[in-house]
Amino acid sequence: MAAASISTGRPKGGAAVWDFISKWGLITLLVAFPLTYAGIDLANGDGLARIGNNLVAGLSNGAIWALIALGYTLVYGIIELINFAHGDVFMIGSFTAFALYSVVGLTLATGPLGLVLGLLVILLLSMLVCGSLNVMIERVAYRPLRGAPKLAPLITAVGVSFILQNVGILWFGSSQRGIPDLIKAQQELFSIGGVEVSRADLLAVAVTVPLVLLLTTFVNRSRLGKAMRATAQDPEAARLMGINVDTTISLTFLLGGLLAGAAGLIYALYQTNVWYFQGFTAGLIAFTAAVMGGIGNLRGAVLGGLIIGIIQQISDNRIGNEWTPAVVFAYLVLIMVFRPQGLIGEETREAG
Amino acid sequence: MSKLAELRSTRWAAWLPAIIAVVAVALFPLFRPPLDATMSDVIQALAYVVMALGLNIVVGFAGLLDLGYVAFYAFGALAAGWFASDHFSKVNGGEGVHIGVSEFVTTAFPQGIHVSFLLIMIGAIIVTAVAGAVIGLPTLRLRGDYIAIVTLAFGEIISRFAANGDEVVIKGYALSNGRESISPIDQLNLPLVGEFDSATNLRLYFWLALALVLVVLFVNFRLRDSRLGRAWIALREDEVAAASMGVPLVRTKLTAYAIGATFGGIAGAFLGVYNNSVNANQFQFGISIFLLAMVILGGLGSIWGVVIGAVLLSFVNTYVIPDVLDKGSFNNLLSDVGLDFTFGEIKFGVFGFILVLMMVLRPQGLLPERRRAIELTEGTGGDDAIVETRA
Amino acid sequence: MAILCLFGVLALGLAACGEDEEEGGGSGGGTAEGTELTIYSSLPLQGTSKDQSEAVIDGEMLALKQAGEKVGKYTIKYESLDDSTAQNPGTADEAQTADNARKAVQDPTTIFYLGEFNSGGTKVSLPILNKAGIPQISPSNTAVGLTTDEPGADPGEPDKYYPTGERTYARIVPKDTIQGAALATIMQEDGCKTVAIANDKTTYGAGLARNVETSAKELGLEVTSNDGTDRNAPNYRSLAEGIDADCFIGSGVTGENYIQLFKDVAAAQPDIKLYGPDGVAEAAFTDPKEGGIPADVGARTKVTVATLSPEEFEKQGIEEAAKFFSDYEAEYGIAKPDPYAIYGYETMKLALDTLEAVGDKANDRKAVIDQLINNTKGRKSVLGTYDIDENGDTTLTDYGLYTIDGGELTFDKVIKAKG
C-alpha cells in the first residue's frame, strides 16, 4: 500500500520512457476535459464561473467517492479481491444514518449545536455499523473461499451485494426516498468570482479530509498499519514474521467499512435522497476511481475519487446526465489500456 | 465382459443421459398448451443456456474474466431491431428493404429494413464477433481482475449507448429507440417451416431455441476438443508457459472473445424476435452477473455443468420464486414466522443467498471440469496470495 | 455427436408437423366457455408503482364487489397479475407482460384484460391480445401512439399494435395530446414565456414531453431544452444549472428519481415555476413525510391529473363520483384516495357495464368488443359523461390542476385545454 514503497523499484530504460509518456498522456487527457470546456466558455465570453462551479461540485462529490474508493483499495491491496458488496455497505450506511435521524431526534427545527452533536453521534454509529457489517461479510463469505479459484469470492461478493440490496428494499422500499435536508445542503456559504460553495461542499471536505489523514497516519505509523502493509506485500512472509494474517485482514475490512459508513452519512446529508440501488452505482464509480488512481494505493484512491467527481460534474453539465456513466467508463478503459497501474499506483502483483 | 458391460462401455453410452434429456425436452411442448407459461420460461432458459455457453468459452475455457457480456446480448438484440422492424423507416426513400420475408410482413410493414431471420443471425454473428474482438483488444496485456474491470466498463458503455441511442442520430438514422423500445419485430419466418407467431403458438419458438442450443453445444464440444480449445486451456492455466510452447497469445485471446461473443449475439437476436421488441431496459449489468453465476455454479469450463447451471438458475429466477414460492402456502409460512413480507419481495436476497451458499459450499461448481476438480481436491496452490486450508 | 444433430433435425421436423395444430384459446374472437368469466388485471406490483397499482386494484375490486361479482347469469372471477419483475421493478417488464397476455389468451374463460399501467407495457400486450380478440381496457395509458397517429406517435403507430386491423383496446384517460395541451395552457396562463422540459425517456415521459413541446410552441411559448434524465444518476444539479427558462416541466414518473430532479431544479433555479404530469401525482412524490419533495418545493409545484376533486365532481353534477368517494371510504377507510383508485374503479365498471349491456352474449368476445368500442356512448360514470370513440379513446378532456398543500394534492381548478 501507500507510503512504504513496495514496488519492484523504478522502471528503467524503455519501460521508464513508456511510464513517463503514459503518465503524462493520461494527465493530459484528464486535464483536457475541463480545459476544453473552460476554453469554450471563455471564447463565448461567459467567464469561468460555470466550470468553476463544476469543479467545486466535482470535488465535493468526489470526496464521497474517495471515501468509498479507499475501502475498495484497502481490500484489494490486501487480498486482491474486488469487494462487490462494498458499495452496498455504503448504502446501508446511508440508510442507517437516515434511520438514526429520528432516533437521535434530529429534525429540520434542531438548532446548530444540537445538529452538530447529533450528527457526530450518527457519524460514529454509522461507521461502526458499516465497519462491523464489513467484517462480518468477510468472515462469512470470503474467508472460507481463500483457497478457491479467484472467481468464487467474486460471485459470493455479488451474492452478498444482492442480499444487502434486498435488505435496503425491505427497509425503505424500492423507490428513491427524499430525506430531510438537515443542514440545508444547497445553501450557499460563500462565493468567489461567481463560483458558489455550498454547505454541502464544505461538509464533504470537512469530514473527508480528517478521515483520510487519520487513515494514512494509521497505516503508515501504527503497528497494525505496518502489519497491513506487510500482509499486502507478501502474506506468507508476514505470517512467518508472526503477524496474524486473519486478524489483519479483518482489520482492513473494518477500516473500509468505517469509511463507507462515513461516506453514507455525508451522502445522505448531501443528496437528501436515499435509494437501495445507490450502492451499486456508487460502487462502480468508486471502484473506477480506485483503479484510476492506482489500486492498492491510498493516495491514488483519493485522487481518483476527486478526478472522477469532476469528470462526472462536467459531463453532467455539458454532455448530459444520461451520458455521464459512458464518459466515466470510457476514461476507465483508456486508463486500463495505457496505464493499468493507474496514475500513481506502483506495480502491484497483478497489473500488466 | 458381459454383453451389458460391453454395451455400457461404448462411447454412445456416455451420451445416453444427455440424449434422453434432449428427447424429453423436445417432446415437452407437445404435452402443454401452445401458449403455456412454463414453455415461455423454458424458452428463456434455453436462450440463457446459449449465452452461458458463450460466456463459458471466455471465462471457462480461456480464463478471461468477462463482466460485460450483456454488451453482446445488446448487439444481437439491436441487430434484430435494426434489420427486422420499421426502425430505419427512411431507408430506400421510404420504400424499405425486404429480403426473404413473408408476404404479411412485406404488405403490413412497407417501410424499414426487413430481412429473413437467418440473415439476421448471420448479421448478429458478424457484429458481435467484431465487437468481441474490439472489446478484447484493450485487455490483451492485462491479467486477472483487470480484465474484469475493462469488460465491465465496455458493458456499461454499450448499454448506455443503447439506452441513449435515440439521441445518437447519424444521417437521420437513430442507433436505437432507447427505452421506448423498437417494436414490433417481425415474426420469424423460416424457409421450410413457415411463419412463426409468438402470440398464438410458442411451440415453434421452443423448438427453434432447442435447435439453437443443440447447435451451440455441438460447436462447443468441437471447440473444446480442438487445437484452439486446448490453446485456450493452456492460456488459462499458465500464460507464460503457453506462450513458450508456441501458442499465439493475441490470436487465441481474441478468438475466445469473438466466438464467445457470437453466442451472445445469437441469443440476443433470438430473444429480440421472441419478445417482439427491443428495449434498452433489457440490457442491464445484472444479466452479466446472472450469466457469470450460471457458469460458476455449473463449473467453469465444464460444458454440461454450465448447461445445468444455466437451466437451474433460470428456473429459480423465473419459475420457482415467482410461481412456487410466492404463492399462498409459502407466504403463509413466512407470516406464521412473523415476517411481514412476501417471497417476491425477498427474491433478490434469496437469489444472492443461494449464490453465496453455492460458492462457500462448492466453489468448483456442480459438475466441475475434470482438471479443475483435480486441482481443487489435490491442491496445486496456483498463484493465490494466501494459501489457507478450508476449515 | 451425430445423434445429437439427428435429434436437432428431428426436433425441427416435429416443428413442421406441429404447425397445423390448434391455435391458442380463440384467435380472432371466440366464445369464452361456461358461465364463469375471468377478468385479468395486469399492473406493476413491485417497485415504485406499487402504491398506485394497489390503488387501481382497490378501485377495481370495489366495483366488482358492488356488482356482486356477477353479471346476468355469469359469475366473474378476478385475477390480478404482476407485469413487473424483481430485476425491473416499478415498470412493465416486457417478457413478463407478454407472459401475462399469453396467460389471458390461453384461458378460455377470459373476457376482459385490464391493463397495462405503463404505456410501454401495452405496446407488448396489445398485439397479442388483439390477435386473440380479447377486449382490453387500460386504466392509465396515455401514450398517443396506442390509438392514433397524432403528433407524438411514432411512425407506424397505431396500426402496428393491431395486427388484425380491428380495434380491441380502450382507455378511460385522455391521451397525452390533451395533457400536453393542458400543461402548455396552464403554463401560458401563469405567465411563462420560456419552458424547459425534462423527460425520463420512457414511452410515457418522452411521448408526453413531445406533446408538451408541440403544444407550447403552438401557444407561442419558447422551449429552451428537452433533456433526458437517467434514473441512476445521484443528482441532477448540473442539469438544473443548465436550465434557462421561466418554467420547468418534469415529464416522467416518480419512480424515475423525479423527486430528486424537482428538488435539484428548485434549488438551482430559485425563481422557476415547476410543473408535473400525472406520473408524479401520488403521495410518494408530494408528501415530504413519505420521502417526497420538501414543502418549499411543493409550494412552487403544480400537477395535472385527469381526475377532478370530489367537490368539483359535485359542482359538475356527477353524483356517481360523490358516491364513489363515500363507498371507497366505507370500504377501505381512506377519505382521499390516490387519483388512480378512481381510474381502477371506472375501468372495472366500464367492463362490467359493457358485459351487462350485451346480456346473454357476455361470453362472446366479439360482441363485447363491438359494444365497448362502438356502442359506449353517453356513458355516465364517476369521471363524468363520455363516449368511447372509434379509436378506443375517451371523449373526456378535462384535466384537473392541483397544487401541493401540506404534502397533499389539492384541487385548484379545471383546465380546458386550448388547441
Side-chain angles (χ1 to χ4, degrees):
Chain A
M1 284 181 266
S5 171
I6 54 164
S7 56
T8 52
R10 313 189 79 219
K12 308 262 189 301
V17 178
W18 176 245
D19 190 64
F20 182 80
I21 295 178
S22 62
K23 178 160 156 186
W24 285 101
L26 183 60
I27 294 179
T28 321
L29 263 176
L30 288 171
V31 171
F33 200 40
L35 278 184
T36 333
Y37 286 110
I40 296 176
D41 274 354
L42 285 175
N44 286 341
D46 285 336
L48 289 174
R50 188 168 164 195
I51 199 88
N53 277 321
N54 290 152
L55 284 174
V56 168
L59 285 173
S60 51
N61 260 307
I64 302 179
W65 306 145
L67 284 176
I68 309 175
L70 281 168
Y72 275 109
T73 224
L74 281 168
V75 166
Y76 191 88
I78 204 163
I79 57 171
E80 293 197 337
L81 166 75
I82 306 176
N83 183 4
F84 257 104
H86 192 68
D88 299 291
V89 170
F90 151 75
M91 176 269 295
I92 297 282
S94 275
F95 276 36
T96 316
F98 171 48
L100 286 174
Y101 280 5
S102 34
V103 168
V104 173
L106 295 177
T107 64
L108 288 169
T110 319
L113 188 62
L115 207 58
V116 169
L117 285 176
L119 285 177
L120 270 175
V121 170
I122 295 181
L123 179 68
L124 286 169
L125 285 174
S126 314
M127 285 169 78
L128 277 173
V129 165
C130 288
S132 355
L133 181 62
N134 226 13
V135 172
M136 200 176 68
I137 294 175
E138 191 270 329
R139 191 73 194 71
V140 165
Y142 303 150
R143 189 173 297 189
L145 291 171
R146 293 244 185 94
K150 264 312 177 49
L151 295 174
L154 200 70
I155 289 297
T156 322
V158 172
V160 172
S161 167
F162 283 172
I163 295 176
L164 288 177
Q165 280 181 31
N166 212 163
V167 168
I169 293 179
L170 291 172
W171 197 348
F172 282 128
S174 36
S175 344
Q176 299 93 359
R177 219 194 122 101
I179 65 182
D181 188 2
L182 288 180
I183 60 162
K184 299 199 198 5
Q186 292 310 306
Q187 212 180 65
E188 192 189 303
L189 268 181
F190 56 88
S191 157
I192 308 175
V195 176
E196 295 172 11
V197 175
S198 66
R199 287 180 174 201
D201 299 325
L202 186 67
L203 168 78
V205 172
V207 177
T208 310
V209 169
L211 278 177
V212 171
L213 287 175
L214 269 172
L215 180 75
T216 13
T217 329
F218 178 79
V219 169
N220 292 344
R221 301 281 170 81
S222 74
R223 256 184 85 89
L224 288 169
K226 199 179 274 189
M228 279 166 66
R229 281 179 284 133
T231 316
Q233 193 169 351
D234 188 340
E236 267 308 291
R239 177 166 304 152
L240 290 172
M241 298 304 286
I243 296 176
N244 185 336
V245 168
D246 285 343
T247 319
T248 314
I249 293 177
S250 294
L251 175 67
T252 318
F253 272 84
L254 177 69
L255 286 176
L258 290 176
L259 292 171
L265 173 62
I266 303 178
Y267 184 91
L269 289 171
Y270 190 104
Q271 301 285 22
T272 64
N273 184 335
V274 294
W275 189 29
Y276 80 92
F277 203 64
Q278 77 189 46
F280 175 77
T281 349
L284 278 184
I285 297 174
F287 185 67
T288 311
V291 166
M292 193 184 273
I295 197 134
N297 184 321
L298 296 183
R299 274 174 304 146
V302 175
L303 188 63
L306 295 176
I307 294 176
I308 294 259
I310 295 177
I311 294 178
Q312 271 190 311
Q313 289 302 316
I314 298 181
S315 168
D316 268 359
N317 195 243
R318 308 296 176 139
I319 304 179
N321 193 259
E322 67 274 24
W323 288 108
T324 304
V327 173
V328 171
F329 284 119
Y331 266 100
L332 176 65
V333 171
L334 282 171
I335 294 175
M336 286 283 92
V337 171
F338 294 113
R339 196 175 161 86
Q341 65 269 41
L343 272 171
I344 57 181
E346 298 96 7
E347 318 239 330
T348 68
R349 280 165 290 158
E350 270 284 336
Chain B
M1 258 198 292
S2 75
K3 259 292 174 180
L4 192 59
E6 230 179 74
L7 261 173
R8 246 201 264 149
S9 63
T10 61
R11 263 182 51 206
W12 301 122
W15 289 105
L16 205 54
I19 293 174
I20 295 177
V22 172
V23 173
V25 173
L27 292 177
F28 170 72
L30 295 175
F31 298 102
R32 311 286 306 193
L35 283 179
D36 189 38
T38 319
M39 241 205 301
S40 174
D41 291 338
V42 178
I43 295 177
Q44 291 274 354
L46 289 173
Y48 272 117
V49 167
V50 172
M51 285 198 276
L53 285 171
L55 185 60
N56 186 39
I57 291 181
V58 184
V59 180
F61 288 171
L64 306 162
L65 180 48
D66 186 342
L67 283 183
Y69 201 76
V70 72
F72 307 132
Y73 168 56
F75 274 119
L78 281 174
W82 291 330
F83 301 128
S85 74
D86 273 356
H87 184 66
F88 291 137
S89 52
K90 300 202 205 100
V91 160
N92 206 7
E95 291 299 306
V97 174
H98 300 87
I99 304 178
V101 285
S102 65
E103 271 302 307
F104 172 70
V105 170
T106 320
T107 41
F109 301 107
Q111 297 180 321
I113 304 180
H114 302 268
V115 305
S116 138
F117 183 66
L118 293 171
L119 286 176
I120 295 176
M121 241 351 148
I122 296 175
I125 290 176
I126 295 176
V127 170
T128 41
V130 170
V134 168
I135 289 178
L137 266 175
T139 70
L140 287 176
R141 283 189 310 143
L142 302 176
R143 252 170 283 184
D145 302 328
Y146 282 51
I147 299 182
I149 302 162
V150 175
T151 48
L152 186 142
F154 268 119
E156 285 297 293
I157 294 177
I158 288 170
S159 61
R160 279 286 110 198
F161 267 93
N164 298 322
D166 51 336
E167 295 173 30
V168 179
V169 179
I170 310 171
K171 291 218 191 134
Y173 297 122
L175 193 65
S176 80
N177 211 6
R179 294 174 66 199
E180 291 184 68
S181 75
I182 304 176
S183 89
I185 310 278
D186 302 334
Q187 294 286 344
L188 273 171
N189 187 23
L190 292 185
L192 288 172
V193 181
E195 214 188 337
F196 290 27
D197 190 350
S198 66
T200 55
N201 186 356
L202 291 182
R203 289 191 186 133
L204 298 178
Y205 277 99
F206 185 94
W207 285 317
L208 178 65
L210 186 61
L212 283 175
V213 169
L214 291 174
V215 167
V216 166
L217 273 174
F218 175 69
V219 172
N220 258 286
F221 278 116
R222 298 303 286 168
L223 278 174
R224 185 187 67 181
D225 298 332
S226 75
R227 205 185 146 121
L228 185 59
R230 286 197 293 275
W232 284 335
I233 294 178
L235 192 68
R236 177 186 81 198
E237 293 300 321
D238 191 332
E239 200 171 302
V240 178
S244 53
M245 293 303 284
V247 170
L249 286 185
V250 172
R251 199 150 25 111
T252 315
K253 282 189 190 178
L254 289 181
T255 345
Y257 279 112
I259 297 184
T262 53
F263 293 176
I266 293 173
F270 173 77
L271 282 177
V273 176
Y274 173 65
N275 282 328
N276 211 24
S277 85
V278 173
N279 188 325
N281 278 338
Q282 301 162 343
F283 311 142
Q284 310 247 4
F285 173 68
I287 293 183
S288 301
I289 294 295
F290 197 41
L291 290 169
L292 191 63
M294 288 174 185
V295 171
I296 296 189
L297 192 73
L300 278 169
S302 151
I303 296 182
W304 287 118
V306 167
V307 172
I308 294 178
V311 170
L312 219 65
L313 275 187
S314 191
F315 249 25
V316 166
N317 192 35
T318 57
Y319 183 67
V320 174
I321 291 181
D323 294 339
V324 173
L325 293 178
D326 206 10
K327 292 292 187 245
S329 40
F330 280 95
N331 277 326
N332 291 339
L333 201 70
L334 280 177
S335 50
D336 285 346
V337 188
L339 296 168
D340 190 27
F341 36 78
T342 66
F343 233 96
E345 284 174 316
I346 58 173
K347 174 164 137 176
F348 232 30
V350 168
F351 192 71
F353 184 68
I354 293 176
L355 284 182
V356 176
L357 211 62
M358 255 317 291
M359 285 300 108
V360 170
L361 293 179
R362 200 179 158 91
Q364 68 267 39
L366 289 170
L367 222 68
E369 200 201 355
R370 292 224 319 205
R371 232 179 240 102
R372 206 42 104 175
I374 298 172
E375 213 177 282
L376 281 166
T377 49
E378 286 169 27
T380 55
D383 63 348
D384 291 337
I386 298 149
V387 176
E388 177 165 346
T389 51
R390 261 183 297 151
Chain C
M1 254 317 44
I3 293 198
L4 271 176
C5 304
L6 192 61
F7 274 103
V9 175
L10 249 173
L12 275 179
L14 277 171
C17 301
E19 201 190 328
D20 296 325
E21 290 186 5
E22 80 275 12
E23 307 283 80
S27 53
T31 308
E33 296 159 12
T35 54
E36 187 182 80
L37 300 173
T38 311
I39 296 186
Y40 282 94
S41 129
S42 175
L43 304 162
L45 298 176
Q46 296 178 63
T48 51
S49 304
K50 192 162 92 113
D51 293 329
Q52 285 174 316
S53 298
E54 284 176 356
V56 173
I57 293 178
D58 286 344
E60 286 175 354
M61 290 185 63
L62 179 63
L64 188 60
K65 184 166 172 205
Q66 288 179 344
E69 299 185 28
K70 277 174 81 69
V71 174
K73 67 177 190 193
Y74 298 98
T75 45
I76 307 286
K77 192 172 85 116
Y78 173 76
E79 191 165 337
S80 160
L81 302 171
D82 183 3
D83 66 10
S84 63
T85 56
Q87 286 91 340
N88 229 341
T91 186
D93 176 84
E94 312 221 320
Q96 186 64 39
T97 311
D99 277 352
N100 290 355
R102 284 194 276 258
K103 182 171 182 173
V105 170
Q106 205 172 243
D107 182 350
T109 64
T110 308
I111 195 60
F112 258 109
Y113 184 94
L114 306 179
E116 311 295 325
F117 188 79
N118 303 90
S119 299
T122 304
K123 280 183 173 181
V124 173
S125 60
L126 182 50
I128 299 176
L129 294 165
N130 182 261
K131 270 223 181 104
I134 294 179
Q136 183 177 3
I137 308 179
S138 167
S140 58
N141 291 157
T142 53
V144 175
L146 291 173
T147 52
T148 67
D149 60 357
E150 290 176 24
D154 284 335
E157 289 183 333
D159 295 325
K160 57 184 182 179
Y161 304 123
Y162 301 97
T164 60
E166 308 277 317
R167 294 297 173 116
T168 53
Y169 166 84
R171 52 175 159 199
I172 54 159
V173 287
K175 49 192 191 285
D176 274 336
T177 38
I178 314 240
Q179 182 161 204
L183 282 161
T185 308
I186 199 66
M187 285 196 276
Q188 190 196 46
E189 272 178 29
D190 284 351
C192 303
K193 301 270 189 303
T194 48
V195 175
I197 310 177
N199 73 80
D200 64 5
K201 300 182 71 98
T202 59
T203 306
Y204 164 73
L208 177 61
R210 286 192 285 266
N211 287 117
V212 171
E213 199 170 339
T214 319
S215 302
K217 288 193 183 144
E218 273 174 22
L219 291 181
L221 303 171
E222 186 197 332
V223 175
T224 56
S225 57
N226 187 352
D227 298 310
T229 58
D230 170 22
R231 170 166 58 155
N232 291 340
N235 66 58
Y236 304 94
R237 234 159 264 154
S238 300
L239 191 157
E241 274 162 29
I243 289 178
D244 187 20
D246 305 323
C247 299
F248 168 78
I249 159 138
S251 171
V253 299
T254 318
E256 293 286 323
N257 209 6
Y258 266 54
I259 298 173
Q260 188 64 31
L261 176 66
F262 272 77
K263 282 202 304 201
D264 285 338
V265 172
Q269 311 270 344
D271 300 320
I272 205 170
K273 300 195 184 62
L274 305 164
Y275 298 90
D278 61 341
V280 295
E282 52 173 336
F285 180 82
T286 58
D287 191 355
K289 283 190 238 72
E290 287 194 30
I293 53 179
D296 56 333
V297 177
R300 294 161 56 185
T301 311
K302 292 191 185 172
V303 175
T304 56
V305 191
T307 323
L308 307 177
S309 68
E311 294 78 31
E312 184 65 26
F313 277 129
E314 220 175 289
K315 221 167 71 172
Q316 293 199 4
I318 305 173
E319 317 97 33
E320 287 85 354
K323 185 166 180 305
F324 164 75
F325 284 109
S326 60
D327 288 341
Y328 195 90
E329 188 173 358
E331 178 79 13
Y332 299 110
I334 303 173
K336 277 195 164 188
D338 186 298
Y340 282 93
I342 201 172
Y343 292 158
Y345 182 86
E346 173 57 15
T347 310
M348 176 64 86
K349 196 103 182 29
L350 175 61
L352 295 172
D353 288 346
T354 310
L355 290 175
E356 199 175 327
V358 288
D360 266 0
K361 290 171 73 185
N363 64 346
D364 180 351
R365 293 174 184 155
K366 242 180 142 46
V368 174
I369 293 173
D370 186 49
Q371 172 66 24
L372 176 69
I373 306 279
N374 299 327
N375 290 336
T376 309
K377 307 283 177 217
R379 174 179 164 75
K380 290 185 67 128
S381 76
V382 293
L383 298 175
T385 309
Y386 66 92
D387 304 342
I388 298 275
D389 70 15
E390 70 273 6
N391 291 325
D393 277 316
T394 170
T395 52
L396 279 174
T397 53
D398 281 347
Y399 256 88
L401 181 69
Y402 287 73
T403 52
I404 301 176
D405 215 0
E408 284 183 350
L409 284 173
T410 315
F411 183 76
D412 189 41
K413 61 177 183 179
V414 181
I415 313 175
K416 297 279 182 206
K418 291 185 222 164

